Amino acid sequence: MRNERVVAYLFVLPALGLFLVFRFFPLVAGSVYAFTDWNGIADARWIGLANFRELIFDPVFRDTMRNTAWVILSLPIWVGLPLLLAVFIHLGVPGAPFFRAAYFFPIVLSSIIIGTMFSIIMRFDGSLNQLFILLGLEPVDWLGDQRFALISVVSVAIWAHFGMNVLIFLSGLSAVPPEIIDAARVDGANLWQVIFRIIIPMLRPIVEFVAVITMITVVTSMFGLIYIMTGGGPGTATYMPEFLIWLMQGESNRLGYAAAMSIVLFAFVGCIGVVQIRMMRREWE
Amino acid sequence: MFKRIALLSTITSLALAAGASLAFAADKTLVVWDFKSTDPLVKPYFDFVKETFEKAHPGVVIKQIAQPADSYYTVLGTAINAKQGPDVALLHGGNQALDRADAFVPLKDEVADVVPKLAGLPAFLRSDGAYVALPLTVQGAVYYMNKEVLREAGLDADMVPQTWEDFTAVCEAIKSKTKASCLTIGNKDGVDFINVIAAIAEGTWSKETRAKFIAHDLSWTSDDMRAVFQTMQTMIDKGWLEKGANSYSPYTDAVNIFAGARTGLILGLISDAPNSWKNVEDLAGSGEVGVAMPVAIGQTPEQKPNRLEVDGGIGFGITSWSQNKDLAVDYIKTAVSPEAAAVLMETAGGLPSNEAVDVSTIDSPAAKEIIRLLNCCTDDKRIKSYYGVAERRELQRLGQLLLTGDTTVDQVLQSLESVRQAEIARAK
């Protein structure tokens, strides 16, 4: 029994080591730097809560949090769209295997390729506006106008990511017993009743899992697309916290301030994650 | 038999390992970071420097790493923070280099033999009299004019606007008689707006105001600064600018719009860039590109004859953490040598800092005009090189909003002044 425990610890050790070196230590170090004015060159000076005070009044940081809030509000689309598409594929719409492959395709493209592709399509003289002109509509500055830039980037991000969620939902759907769906149909349930009264309630744990994962993804993994498509602009229209952190630690050499932002972002994502996981746990219990 | 094979393979493996480690010990690697070597026009220059240096230093290998140009200083900042990465780094002149001076070796006695031959050194001059980097090129900005558009607008294709009134006449003619825009700003990253503001400031400010700005003593809410931004606002209000500026790259999109005669003018660089004379002329056609200095605004051209701001464009610095400082000094001397600079001039249109290079061999009409201007009409130090890091980033952001009408000149200036004051407070 004791040997088994030792072996178990040995199996865990590599992962634990990696976690400590690459996750835990940077987190602790970052937490300390957040209270300093370290610029990466000179010695760090302890400045207490000054970085956090500055954050409260920093209009750019405020804008990044506003953008983050907007993106989180789009979560129902990130989760709902792939859920519906997965259900349709599961119910056997014509060409289902093709759609499954087609939806998954963007996942294998890097965000740099996707960003470059859509930059060309969505720039002011790009093909999307050419289509608008053909249809007699006014062209729109999708990436250069602050009213549209965030919506444009988020739309592309949804397109890039939704294939993975479709796959997760499909795997969840495979666990839904077909007899229940057949029985509902025999009882006269229409398509929407089958979807909303039977399939989605049975998929609830999967939906919540996808919601947590997607929320973390949208808050922390939009960097590539933003970098390529808009560079954060126009103004601060597409700034997200991770983008600002990157600028602050590199271009501005303000590592202490960037660390303070990272701590706030970590706490923010952590809080939402905890709330979501509690909700899930309550459901399971 | 099995034992013999095992012994043989062990000996072979050990011999191979020893050989490999000896080879490893003999080789030294000098890591060089840049933001240009993937450009096909510039690559031959870096290849030449690598080949020449490695030939002169057997056993030393140059590892050339091209970082993305639009995020170069962010990536370099990360390397500086970690004190890891390049031995040698390519830098822009002005504040881009000077703000990071502490991360680079102060160059003085070790480069005393090459310094007298180099122009553009003030852009890399530290307060202690040493240099952050040695300049490879000289750099400045001029308006490139598409002669096809000028002809279509009924203008003399060889005319050169000297004053704001001339510039107005050109833009109004293009606007009223052609489908082209007068000026295209490729402002996707916000940098082209900064360049145009600097060009307006150069044409507007007195010597004293300019010196005050470079010393970081000019308030953003001063009348001098407001005059510059009001001129920019006039250009926006009059509809002279190509629409969609914030979604266009200055180096590809803007140049293509220019070459396709969809715009009359772009503000381009004079050396080694996709929006400098070589590429612009290759795309628009030789002889089809006019060159104009920033125009004099509120004064006569005679009062302000030296309107081509020039300083060291790009240069090579040695990082303070480099373990190969002597080799790095040799590398940067090779990189700014007349032979290497001549390669850059030939392939990428780079105007060399090294005055030993014979520029008279260039046969491009646009380049000849630029070289003429370099000999008659330059002002040292470029305004655009002396924005503070945070001011520059704020200007990138707010410039985009000014172009789309989402902010006002007053809001921009007040915000920039707040950033300047915060920078001053932090420096204390």
Side-chain angles (χ1 to χ4, degrees):
Chain A
M1 186 63 188
R2 194 159 172 276
N3 278 352
E4 274 179 18
R5 194 169 276 183
V6 170
V7 171
Y9 279 123
L10 282 177
F11 274 114
V12 170
L13 204 59
L16 186 67
L18 289 172
F19 170 78
L20 288 175
V21 173
F22 293 108
R23 297 280 178 181
F24 185 71
F25 174 71
L27 183 66
V28 173
S31 307
V32 174
Y33 286 137
F35 297 94
T36 71
D37 67 348
W38 192 37
N39 66 2
I41 302 172
D43 288 338
R45 217 162 32 115
W46 187 265
I47 54 169
L49 291 170
N51 284 330
F52 293 95
R53 267 198 300 274
E54 188 180 339
L55 269 183
I56 295 169
F57 300 106
D58 184 342
V60 179
F61 183 69
R62 234 176 9 236
D63 288 350
T64 65
M65 295 313 284
R66 179 203 59 203
N67 294 339
T68 305
W70 279 115
V71 174
I72 289 175
L73 283 177
S74 70
L75 205 60
I77 305 173
W78 292 75
V79 178
L81 181 69
L83 174 61
L84 270 184
L85 294 172
V87 169
F88 287 137
I89 290 172
H90 180 73
L91 293 177
V93 292
F98 167 77
F99 286 121
R100 190 165 45 206
Y103 294 155
F104 188 70
F105 176 65
I107 292 290
V108 300
L109 298 175
S110 80
S111 56
I112 304 299
I113 293 170
I114 293 171
T116 306
M117 201 167 77
F118 278 96
S119 291
I120 294 167
I121 293 170
M122 298 176 101
R123 71 182 191 200
F124 193 72
D125 63 353
S127 40
L128 185 57
N129 274 342
Q130 298 304 321
L131 181 68
F132 266 51
I133 293 167
L134 266 180
L135 297 171
L137 300 168
E138 276 291 307
V140 173
D141 198 356
W142 300 104
L143 303 175
D145 185 324
Q146 64 173 355
R147 289 170 299 166
F148 302 104
L150 187 61
I151 297 171
S152 302
V153 175
V154 169
S155 305
V156 173
I158 290 174
W159 179 84
H161 285 102
F162 84 108
M164 180 57 82
N165 288 351
V166 169
L167 274 197
I168 295 172
F169 284 129
L170 279 173
S171 64
L173 283 163
S174 64
V176 175
E179 305 82 40
I180 297 180
I181 297 173
D182 291 341
R185 281 191 168 147
V186 170
D187 286 345
N190 64 27
L191 178 65
W192 298 110
Q193 285 170 327
V194 168
I195 292 173
F196 288 102
R197 298 274 174 85
I198 296 170
I199 295 178
I200 292 179
M202 294 189 79
L203 276 183
R204 191 161 180 159
I206 306 286
V207 172
E208 284 165 348
F209 168 75
V210 169
V212 174
I213 296 296
T214 307
M215 199 283 297
I216 293 169
T217 303
V218 300
V219 176
T220 60
S221 305
M222 297 270 287
F223 180 86
L225 282 180
I226 291 171
Y227 175 72
I228 293 293
M229 291 181 72
T230 62
T236 53
T238 54
Y239 268 57
M240 297 292 277
E242 50 171 350
F243 187 78
L244 186 60
I245 290 166
W246 181 70
L247 286 180
M248 279 296 156
Q249 66 80 30
E251 183 183 80
S252 302
N253 281 359
R254 295 193 63 198
L255 263 89
Y257 193 50
M261 284 184 197
S262 305
I263 296 300
V264 172
L265 180 63
F266 173 76
F268 178 71
V269 175
C271 285
I272 296 183
V274 165
V275 169
Q276 284 182 319
I277 288 166
R278 284 208 169 165
M279 284 165 59
M280 286 162 64
R281 192 174 288 167
R282 205 173 52 205
E283 283 300 319
W284 294 336
E285 282 165 4
Chain B
M1 181 66 182
F2 177 76
K3 273 188 180 171
R4 202 175 287 174
I5 290 171
L7 186 66
L8 193 64
S9 50
T10 308
I11 290 168
T12 312
S13 306
L14 285 172
L16 281 172
S21 58
L22 275 177
F24 182 73
D27 281 346
K28 256 190 180 168
T29 302
L30 197 68
V31 180
V32 180
W33 277 20
D34 70 87
F35 42 86
K36 275 182 175 286
S37 62
T38 49
D39 178 347
L41 297 177
V42 184
K43 194 172 179 301
Y45 159 76
F46 282 99
D47 290 346
F48 176 87
V49 175
K50 179 180 160 70
E51 201 177 299
T52 309
F53 180 85
E54 286 177 351
K55 213 170 179 181
H57 299 80
V60 182
V61 175
I62 298 295
K63 189 174 178 189
Q64 190 79 42
I65 299 176
Q67 302 288 359
D70 49 2
S71 57
Y72 183 69
Y73 289 98
T74 312
V75 179
L76 183 62
T78 310
I80 291 171
N81 298 334
K83 294 190 171 47
Q84 281 179 18
D87 295 289
V88 174
L90 192 62
L91 298 166
H92 289 97
N95 275 1
Q96 302 277 45
L98 299 175
D99 283 351
R100 297 167 176 85
D102 290 345
F104 288 86
V105 174
L107 300 168
K108 202 167 187 184
D109 297 340
E110 59 273 63
V111 295
D113 53 330
V114 292
V115 157
K117 299 168 197 158
L118 300 177
L121 279 161
F124 297 102
L125 183 62
R126 296 162 52 109
S127 52
D128 60 5
Y131 299 103
V132 181
L134 292 187
L136 167 64
T137 59
V138 291
Q139 192 59 282
V142 291
Y143 289 110
Y144 290 109
M145 301 183 298
N146 187 312
K147 293 188 178 181
E148 186 187 332
V149 176
L150 295 183
R151 279 192 294 269
E152 204 186 324
L155 297 163
D156 173 5
D158 294 324
M159 67 93 66
V160 176
Q162 299 283 351
T163 63
W164 176 248
E165 290 69 31
D166 295 344
F167 195 86
T168 302
V170 169
C171 281
E172 287 300 329
I174 291 173
K175 192 183 165 193
S176 59
K177 294 180 186 161
T178 74
K179 285 183 177 172
S181 59
C182 179
L183 176 69
T184 289
I185 299 180
N187 204 43
K188 185 171 181 176
D189 53 7
V191 172
D192 228 9
F193 178 88
I194 292 178
N195 294 336
V196 175
I197 285 289
I200 297 171
E202 173 60 15
T204 308
W205 286 346
S206 66
K207 230 175 177 47
E208 292 72 34
T209 307
R210 213 172 163 272
K212 218 170 153 187
F213 177 81
I214 288 169
H216 219 214
D217 286 337
L218 185 68
S219 163
W220 286 93
T221 50
S222 64
D223 290 343
D224 288 315
M225 196 62 92
R226 192 175 303 276
V228 170
F229 277 77
Q230 286 297 354
T231 303
M232 183 81 211
Q233 185 65 59
T234 304
M235 293 167 79
I236 298 167
D237 293 343
K238 285 183 179 287
W240 293 348
L241 306 182
E242 176 80 14
K243 283 183 183 165
N246 291 340
S247 66
Y248 294 137
S249 147
Y251 300 118
T252 50
D253 304 328
V255 174
N256 288 333
I257 289 169
F258 178 85
R262 281 170 51 199
T263 195
L265 288 80
I266 53 170
L267 186 73
L269 294 169
I270 61 171
S271 174
D272 65 282
N275 64 346
S276 70
W277 59 270
K278 187 166 180 60
N279 195 37
V280 167
E281 216 172 38
D282 282 351
L283 292 170
S286 180
E288 283 301 303
V289 178
V291 174
M293 287 190 291
V295 295
I297 303 172
Q299 50 197 326
T300 64
E302 291 73 29
Q303 287 171 315
K304 183 87 182 177
N306 303 329
R307 302 189 307 276
L308 176 55
E309 294 184 309
V310 173
D311 62 17
I314 51 174
F316 293 95
I318 300 167
T319 53
S320 58
W321 62 83
S322 170
Q323 300 295 311
N324 304 303
K325 289 194 176 74
D326 291 341
L327 281 173
V329 169
D330 284 354
Y331 177 86
I332 64 174
K333 283 184 183 175
T334 308
V336 301
S337 67
E339 296 76 21
V343 173
L344 185 71
M345 184 179 82
E346 217 166 276
T347 60
L351 296 177
S353 156
N354 198 314
E355 289 167 345
V357 180
D358 180 11
V359 292
S360 66
T361 54
I362 299 176
D363 60 0
S364 142
K368 278 182 188 300
E369 176 59 9
I370 291 168
I371 291 165
R372 188 188 73 76
L373 293 173
L374 282 173
N375 290 323
C376 75
C377 311
T378 58
D379 208 351
D380 73 335
K381 294 188 176 173
R382 295 171 68 200
I383 289 169
K384 70 145 272 186
S385 303
Y386 290 88
Y387 300 110
V389 172
E391 289 169 286
R392 189 183 167 83
R393 177 52 69 176
E394 185 72 349
L395 194 50
Q396 282 173 252
R397 288 191 281 255
L398 295 179
Q400 291 182 318
L401 300 184
L402 197 67
L403 288 177
T404 52
D406 290 315
T407 189
T408 64
V409 167
D410 280 342
Q411 285 169 340
V412 171
L413 295 178
Q414 268 160 22
S415 182
L416 284 163
E417 183 55 19
S418 307
V419 170
R420 188 177 86 95
Q421 292 300 338
E423 273 200 335
I424 291 169
R426 259 200 305 279
K428 281 179 186 165

